[in-house]
Amino acid sequence: METKTEALPAPPTVRAAPPQPRNRRRPWRLVALLVILLAIIGAALYYWFFMRPYESTDDAFIDADVVQIAPQVPGHVATLLVRDNQGVKQGELLLEIDPRDYDAGLAQAQASLLAAQTRLEQARAQVNADQAKVEQAQANRTAAQTEAERAQADLKRYQSIPKPAVSRTQFDLATAQARSNDAAVEAARSAIAAAQAQVTLSQAAIQTAAADVERNKAAVREAEIELSYTKVAAPIDGFVTHRTVQAGDYVQTGQALLALVPSNPWVIANFKETQLTQMHPGQPVTVHVDAYPNHAFHAHVDSIQRGSGARFSLLPPENATGNYVKVVQRVPVKILFDDPPDPNLPLGPGISVEPKVRVLDEPRK
């Protein structure tokens, strides 16, 4: 019997595991992390050197001492000598009001002054005449006194002579003569008093006439001033703005005709109160004007207002009643330009600017 031997199956071949591929994303992750780290460092450095030392705001505007021009006397505008946005110098004539009425008023005041001066001279002459009357009355009194003394001497002489030597008629005549001369002396004295009283009245008339002269002199000066007001001149150097007057218009006293904007404006920046911790006058400022984005103006902090802008508004907030919500206040800061004004870069009130104040250059004193 034949024996069959079955072949055993061959053991399975063990294959080696293929090598694991390297993670190719790891270098890119490192690069990304490095870029992020550098960006963080750059941002920190930028903040430390370019943002931390500065305080800035976009709530800022150009301001200036705008002078409103208004007439001081009413009348028709005879001549208008300026146009819109024209530059003028201090003392330059802007317009002229018809001066004819004021010329007539000055002539009338001068005539009244001349009449008052004439009355004053007449009063002075009257005093001299009354003084002469006083001197004449005094002379009459002296003469009357002399005659009275002579009559009294004659009467005494007649009284000392025995009666048979002097007739009764002679004695009575001497007595009457003495009494008459005494009465003449009294009359002379009264005439002196009356003349002196007239001198006093005349001197009072001089004072009245002198006061009238001064009053008319004041009227002449007033008429001269009113006549000068017909010529309206520029009180400062500046530019004609907001002109509302035309030649021929009738204008009233105090009516706004135009405005003069000076060429030396400044900046009013409304900083938050939390931005004022390190801010003080004298710190340098870089001002960027919206109208000139490619130009930076150099300036400095001039002063900080003592109080928030809301406190001095038309209707200041009343926090004593109702629910209170704390709001960060803004405080106006005045900033002056360091550079002289550039005629090619005009700056006018109301223009928006963005100032940047360097507050950490030096410790606050």
Side-chain angles (χ1 to χ4, degrees):
M1 185 173 174
E2 193 174 347
T3 304
K4 294 183 180 179
T5 304
E6 295 181 358
L8 296 174
T13 304
V14 179
R15 296 183 179 179
Q20 296 291 334
R22 290 188 175 183
N23 189 357
R24 298 181 178 180
R25 296 182 179 179
R26 184 175 299 175
W28 293 106
R29 290 179 180 177
L30 293 177
V31 171
L33 290 175
L34 182 60
V35 170
I36 293 174
L37 181 61
L38 290 177
I40 293 174
I41 295 175
L45 292 176
Y46 181 82
Y47 169 79
W48 186 263
F49 290 104
F50 296 100
M51 294 183 65
R52 190 182 68 92
Y54 297 94
E55 294 289 356
S56 63
T57 180
D58 56 1
D59 186 2
F61 307 91
I62 298 292
D63 201 357
D65 286 329
V66 180
V67 178
Q68 298 291 336
I69 303 300
Q72 295 179 274
V73 292
H76 287 91
V77 177
T79 308
L80 181 63
L81 301 173
V82 293
R83 62 183 184 277
D84 292 332
N85 303 317
Q86 176 183 338
V88 295
K89 297 294 184 181
Q90 182 178 7
E92 184 176 344
L93 193 62
L94 303 177
L95 58 92
E96 184 176 4
I97 297 173
D98 189 353
R100 290 176 294 180
D101 292 342
Y102 301 99
D103 282 332
L106 177 58
Q108 183 178 0
Q110 290 173 339
S112 298
L113 174 60
L114 181 59
Q117 290 173 337
T118 302
R119 289 192 295 271
L120 177 60
E121 294 300 325
Q122 290 175 349
R124 288 173 177 170
Q126 186 64 41
V127 168
N128 294 332
D130 292 339
Q131 189 66 41
K133 291 180 180 180
V134 171
E135 295 174 356
Q136 183 180 359
Q138 290 174 343
N140 291 338
R141 183 193 62 180
T142 301
Q145 187 71 34
T146 301
E147 289 297 325
E149 291 174 355
R150 184 184 60 78
Q152 287 293 334
D154 290 345
L155 179 60
K156 289 180 180 179
R157 188 169 57 255
Y158 285 139
Q159 290 175 344
S160 63
I161 298 174
K163 290 183 179 180
V166 179
S167 66
R168 184 66 184 179
T169 302
Q170 290 178 332
F171 183 79
D172 291 342
L173 181 62
T175 301
Q177 187 67 35
R179 290 177 179 175
S180 176
N181 288 333
D182 288 340
V185 170
E186 292 300 324
R189 289 174 179 172
S190 299
I192 291 175
Q196 289 175 340
Q198 186 62 41
V199 168
T200 302
L201 291 176
S202 298
Q203 289 175 342
I206 287 180
Q207 294 178 352
T208 302
D212 193 33
V213 168
E214 293 301 322
R215 180 178 63 81
N216 282 277
K217 284 183 178 179
V220 169
R221 288 195 295 270
E222 183 179 1
E224 290 174 344
I225 291 173
E226 288 184 346
L227 179 60
S228 69
Y229 286 161
T230 60
K231 298 180 183 297
V232 181
I236 61 170
D237 295 348
F239 296 88
V240 177
T241 308
H242 197 236
R243 181 176 62 86
T244 60
V245 63
Q246 300 291 341
D249 288 350
Y250 187 87
V251 296
Q252 296 285 353
T253 302
Q255 177 183 342
L257 303 181
L258 54 90
L260 288 182
V261 177
S263 57
N264 55 341
W266 59 83
V267 173
I268 295 297
N270 299 302
F271 284 96
K272 296 178 181 178
E273 54 188 334
T274 55
Q275 294 178 289
L276 303 179
T277 305
Q278 300 294 333
M279 192 177 299
H280 60 86
Q283 290 175 329
V285 184
T286 302
V287 179
H288 295 278
V289 182
D290 292 358
Y292 312 112
N294 298 324
H295 185 84
F297 295 84
H298 301 288
H300 65 276
V301 175
D302 176 72
S303 58
I304 302 174
Q305 179 174 295
R306 298 314 193 256
S308 67
R311 177 62 181 81
F312 299 100
S313 62
L314 182 61
L315 297 174
E318 179 57 56
N319 298 324
T321 59
N323 296 325
Y324 173 68
V325 178
K326 184 176 180 180
V327 178
V328 178
Q329 300 295 319
R330 288 186 176 268
V331 178
V333 177
K334 186 175 182 180
I335 298 173
L336 298 182
F337 291 101
D338 295 333
D339 302 326
D342 189 346
N344 297 320
L345 302 173
L347 298 175
I351 293 180
S352 298
V353 300
E354 184 175 347
K356 183 184 290 186
V357 183
R358 187 174 183 89
V359 296
L360 294 182
D361 275 347
E362 55 184 2
R364 185 170 183 175
K365 297 181 181 179

